[in-house]
């Protein structure tokens, strides 16, 4: 089946290109709040966050940290709100997110991004569904939030649990989707029993992305193809449309084409266009239309 793809270079906090209730599935991985690699993106796009970091550097403590965390989630929340608008009744939103740990001015703490996003999405009107834990190959346990476990890591009570899972949060807008009996495309999209048993269990043990990526690609923190591959097959039907509001290197759009789904991707960093196009070209035989919109 031939597919159509739209890449919009601009912020997904507003999606005027999309009509209400027209998208069946959203699959994405946003910049993670309170993870260092995304600090500058949040600060550049939101002057309030930049000002709060400056205040923090000048010495003001916990209140500023809390406000920075809130502001980062307000930034992402605008995208979840727009996603809710463009999804059709019964549409599913899948959000890959990691929690963050960080020591700020000597204080170690966890920033539970997954619970904050769940709270915000529920307030928007989404129904929360059982989530998936993406278990990454285990990294070394940490002591006091940094470095490897030292000898004293064997003594209670000051060691921390290693964060070796990320979340794939699942939400539904409205009611269960309805299809006519024996809908042709739905039946063409059927998965196998082994796939169903593995994909619909709560823990996915998957490796991260290749280490052979370019520097630019590495900076997008691309997720492995297998994540959108499973989610797209689990929650959409061939010929439907998948939205990724944080497209990064274009993984979701590529995997949508591979699985005979259309895609719409938003990306605010124009430098990523060449990588996105390269990924899409791998499946150009399945692509009937490729539209690029520069805001
Ligand atoms: C974690 S990366 C996505 C990685 C992607 N899943 C992949 O496999 O390449 C998040 C991306 O969101 C982009 N971004 C951040 N804010 C955005 C916004 N408001 N609108 C569109 N893209 C945004 C960043 O530039 C970054 O490329």
């Amino acid at each position: 089946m031939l597919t159509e793809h739209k890449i919009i270079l601009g912020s997904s906090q507003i999606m005027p290109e999309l009509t209400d209730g027209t998208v069946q599935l959203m699959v994405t991985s946003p910049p993670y709040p309170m993870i260092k690699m995304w600090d500058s993106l949040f600060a550049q796009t939101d002057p309030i966050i930049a000002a709060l970091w400056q205040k923090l550097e000048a010495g003001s403590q916990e209140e500023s940290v809390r406000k920075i965390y809130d502001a980062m989630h307000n930034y992402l929340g605008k995208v979840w709100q727009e996603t809710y608008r463009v999804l059709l009744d019964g549409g599913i939103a899948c959000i890959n997110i990691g929690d963050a740990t960080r020591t700020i001015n000597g204080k170690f703490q966890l920033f539970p991004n997954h619970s904050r996003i769940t709270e915000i999405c529920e307030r928007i009107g989404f129904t929360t569904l059982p989530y998936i834990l993406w278990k990454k190959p285990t990294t070394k346990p940490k002591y006091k939030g940094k470095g490897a476990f030292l000898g004293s890591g064997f003594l209670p009570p000051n060691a921390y649990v290693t964060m070796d899972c990320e979340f794939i949060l699942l939400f539904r807008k409205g009611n269960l989707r309805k299809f006519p009996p024996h809908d042709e495309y739905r039946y063409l999209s059927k998965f196998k029993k082994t796939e169903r048993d593995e994909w619909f269990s709560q823990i996915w043990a998957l490796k991260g992305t290749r280490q052979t990526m370019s520097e630019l690609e590495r900076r997008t923190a691309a997720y492995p193809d297998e994540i959108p591959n499973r989610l797209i097959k689990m929650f959409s039907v061939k010929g439907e449309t998948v939205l990724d509001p944080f497209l990064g290197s274009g993984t979701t759009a590529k995997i949508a084409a591979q699985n005979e789904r259309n895609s719409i991707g938003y990306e605010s960093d124009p430098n990523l266009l060449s990588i996105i196009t390269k990924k899409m070209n791998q499946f150009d035989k399945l692509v009937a239309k490729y539209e690029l919109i520069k805001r």
Side-chain angles (χ1 to χ4, degrees), residues 73-108:
H73 278 286
N74 283 343
Y75 177 90
L76 298 183
K78 290 181 183 145
V79 180
W80 312 140
Q81 182 75 59
E82 269 295 79
T83 299
Y84 188 81
R85 177 182 71 76
V86 304
L87 279 176
L88 49 64
D89 190 35
I92 303 276
C94 312
I95 304 172
N96 167 220
I97 187 78
D99 290 345
T101 53
R102 194 143 174 188
T103 302
I104 300 174
N105 292 342
K107 188 182 174 212
F108 174 80

Side-chain angles (χ1 to χ4, degrees), residues 25-29 92-96 223 227-229 231-232 235 242-246 252:
L25 173 65
M26 184 273 263
V27 174
T28 201
S29 182
I92 303 276
C94 312
I95 304 172
N96 167 220
Y223 46 30
I227 288 186
N229 184 48
L231 296 170
I232 286 169
F235 299 118
V242 185
L243 163 71
D244 187 343
F246 299 102
T252 310

Side-chain angles (χ1 to χ4, degrees), residues 133-205:
L133 286 174
W134 169 23
K135 171 124 176 51
K136 297 166 146 188
T138 315
T139 46
K140 284 211 179 86
K142 291 199 164 83
Y143 184 66
K144 286 190 175 174
K146 47 188 169 167
F149 245 104
L150 301 172
S152 49
F154 290 96
L155 298 174
N158 289 342
Y160 303 118
V161 169
T162 310
M163 294 215 304
D164 48 12
C165 285
E166 290 196 8
F167 292 78
I168 299 169
L169 304 174
L170 304 174
F171 303 97
R172 181 190 296 118
K173 173 179 171 176
N175 304 300
L176 287 176
R177 286 186 61 194
K178 292 197 175 65
F179 292 86
H182 306 294
D183 181 84
E184 187 192 347
Y185 287 110
R186 193 179 184 205
Y187 275 75
L188 281 173
S189 312
K190 195 173 170 180
F191 26 78
K192 299 189 194 87
K193 182 181 179 306
T194 48
E195 292 174 333
R196 189 203 57 186
D197 293 349
E198 197 180 347
W199 299 350
F200 286 86
S201 71
Q202 208 175 15
I203 297 182
W204 290 0

Side-chain angles (χ1 to χ4, degrees), residues 247-291:
L247 188 62
S249 64
T251 317
T252 310
K254 178 186 90 170
I255 300 298
Q258 187 188 356
N259 286 304
E260 299 171 82
R261 272 73 165 175
N262 307 308
S263 80
I264 300 161
Y266 283 84
E267 176 48 55
S268 57
D269 181 353
N271 295 319
L272 293 174
L273 185 59
S274 58
I275 295 178
I276 297 169
T277 313
K278 202 168 136 199
K279 277 200 181 178
M280 292 302 295
N281 283 344
Q282 291 176 28
F283 291 97
D284 59 354
K285 287 200 177 64
L286 291 168
V287 176
K289 192 171 162 199
Y290 180 70
E291 192 184 347

